[in-house]
Amino acid sequence: MKLIDGKKISNELRLGIKDQVKKIKQEAGKFPCLATILVGQNPASQVYIKSKIKACQEAGIQSLHHNLDENSSKEDIISLINELNKSSEVDGILLQLPLPNNEYAQDCINAISPLKDVDGLHPFNAGLLNLSKSWDEIIKKNILVSCTPLGVIYLLHKSNISIEGKTAIVIGRSNLVGKPLSMLLLANNATVTMAHSKTKNLKEMCKNADIVIAAVGNPKFLNKDFIKDRATVIDVGINRTPDGLCGDVDFNSVKDMNITMTPVPGGVGPMTITMLLENTLKAFKKGH
Ligand code: NAP
């Protein structure tokens, strides 16, 4: 097995982002600024927010954090978002999900200005991604795309794994990962199958795919019976189990195969925050 080192690729990209931030400061006289919003005290969300703020600091991006009370209403959250939308100091807005009441998460996301939507979850940006005809167009137009799927495409490009003409299967159809990733693979000229919990013959479909992407949220869900020789396997899953962190792919089952794969941890995970930094730069450029 050949491993894709997400940490190394991510570190290289962050150095480039740091340079761009320096250049922006020299030319525009200000640092890009990311506003983060956490509602409540969810321990996992607190850890994620902390890492995002730390990554911003390391890249020279300013961060502005707001922690709203657990019982904040939808109106309270939208009112803060409106303030940040208006602020000329703020380039990007990140609302940490899930909310304590996640039923109105999409309403809150819809309130974020599409120009500041660094998570790429606003319908306007999701729509732009769906309308885009090629990867070049996505890059040239600085389209804000959901961070994890964007990170997966960067991992493939930086590892010199060609996507064009390949058959790819994405298992999972969430708005956060599966759907945007399928669109990105399509824009990179793969022939894409989107699989989900109602898909029949999943094993056979995976076994025929050149690129298998697991975004299921089910520990060790895929094993060697799903993967063909010389396939590329991207494990997006992050599952906390009594034995520690693991992906959606049973690593021990596939480790002796002739495949290229992302480990968990150290594969897709580090790229997500790097893409958040990248999207903050894009948002800065859009705003200026
Ligand atoms: P999600 O919203 O729960 O979506 C899971 C998807 O998997 C759904 O589309 C579901 O199908 C599908 N699924 C569930 N059981 C299945 C089965 N037996 N066969 C085929 N498909 C099945 O999860 P998500 O937000 O997309 O996240 C997926 C995983 O990625 C999680 O482990 C999450 O922690 C991880 N993640 C990692 C990062 C990172 O930075 N590395 C970022 C985000 C998410 P239905 O639609 O039919 O229910």
Side-chain angles (χ1 to χ4, degrees):
M1 177 195 289
K2 190 176 162 215
L3 282 179
I4 298 177
D5 189 343
K7 220 169 169 188
K8 182 166 170 258
I9 295 172
S10 170
N11 285 342
E12 285 163 9
L13 287 167
R14 286 191 199 192
L15 285 178
I17 290 170
K18 201 173 172 177
D19 282 346
Q20 285 190 62
V21 171
K22 256 191 212 156
K23 227 171 135 197
I24 286 175
K25 169 70 177 152
Q26 279 161 6
E27 286 168 8
K30 64 173 282 200
F31 293 108
C33 173
L34 173 69
T36 50
I37 306 172
L38 175 64
V39 184
Q41 310 284 335
N42 178 322
S45 295
Q46 282 178 328
V47 172
Y48 285 132
I49 282 281
K50 241 184 173 171
S51 329
K52 287 168 186 175
I53 293 173
K54 183 166 171 263
C56 280
Q57 281 165 351
E58 286 168 359
I61 292 174
Q62 256 189 313
S63 57
L64 195 68
H65 182 59
H66 293 266
N67 202 160
L68 291 181
D69 185 78
E70 172 100 30
N71 301 316
S72 301
S73 65
K74 177 169 115 179
E75 289 70 28
D76 293 333
I77 302 169
I78 291 179
S79 156
L80 172 60
I81 290 173
N82 285 337
E83 237 177 78
L84 298 170
N85 281 340
K86 281 188 218 134
S87 167
S88 59
E89 294 305 308
V90 172
D91 300 295
I93 302 171
L94 176 129
L95 176 63
Q96 185 64 42
L97 300 177
L99 298 178
N101 180 350
N102 213 40
E103 268 174 32
Y104 47 70
Q106 191 62 49
D107 290 338
C108 295
I109 289 164
N110 294 354
I112 297 174
S113 159
L115 295 174
K116 298 189 178 187
D117 167 41
V118 285
D119 255 344
L121 296 175
H122 190 285
F124 182 83
N125 289 318
L128 282 184
L129 172 63
N130 287 6
L131 292 174
S132 63
K133 293 202 181 73
S134 68
W135 173 249
D136 277 356
E137 185 183 329
I138 292 166
I139 295 298
K140 271 191 199 133
K141 291 191 176 165
N142 279 324
I143 297 175
L144 292 168
V145 179
S146 177
C147 298
T148 302
L150 190 63
V152 169
I153 298 297
Y154 270 84
L155 275 184
L156 293 170
H157 286 177
K158 294 283 172 193
S159 309
N160 293 319
I161 294 164
S162 74
I163 305 175
E164 183 160 314
K166 297 278 177 71
T167 50
I169 184 163
V170 180
I171 314 161
R173 56 174 163 181
S174 69
N175 291 332
L176 184 68
V177 185
K179 269 190 221 162
L181 189 44
S182 299
M183 288 302 136
L184 287 171
L185 288 162
L186 200 60
N188 277 274
N189 297 322
T191 302
V192 185
T193 301
M194 293 174 75
H196 47 78
S197 66
K198 305 291 185 287
T199 298
K200 294 202 165 67
N201 303 324
L202 183 64
K203 205 179 272 183
E204 288 71 23
M205 284 185 186
C206 289
K207 194 90 194 169
N208 281 321
D210 301 313
I211 301 172
V212 177
I213 309 220
V216 185
N218 191 342
K220 304 182 185 174
F221 177 70
L222 296 191
N223 58 35
K224 62 176 170 31
D225 298 336
F226 288 73
I227 314 290
K228 74 172 180 185
D229 192 41
R230 297 168 65 186
T232 297
V233 181
I234 304 292
D235 193 349
V236 181
I238 299 183
N239 305 293
R240 283 174 179 82
T241 71
D243 301 329
L245 211 62
C246 79
D248 288 343
V249 181
D250 184 348
F251 191 84
N252 278 333
S253 164
V254 300
K255 71 177 191 312
D256 295 326
M257 293 183 77
N258 179 21
I259 58 173
T260 303
M261 184 173 157
T262 56
V264 177
V268 176
M271 293 297 286
T272 298
I273 295 187
T274 302
M275 293 301 109
L276 174 66
L277 304 177
E278 177 82 17
N279 277 350
T280 305
L281 285 192
K282 281 187 205 161
F284 179 91
K285 288 173 193 163
K286 280 173 182 286
H288 291 75

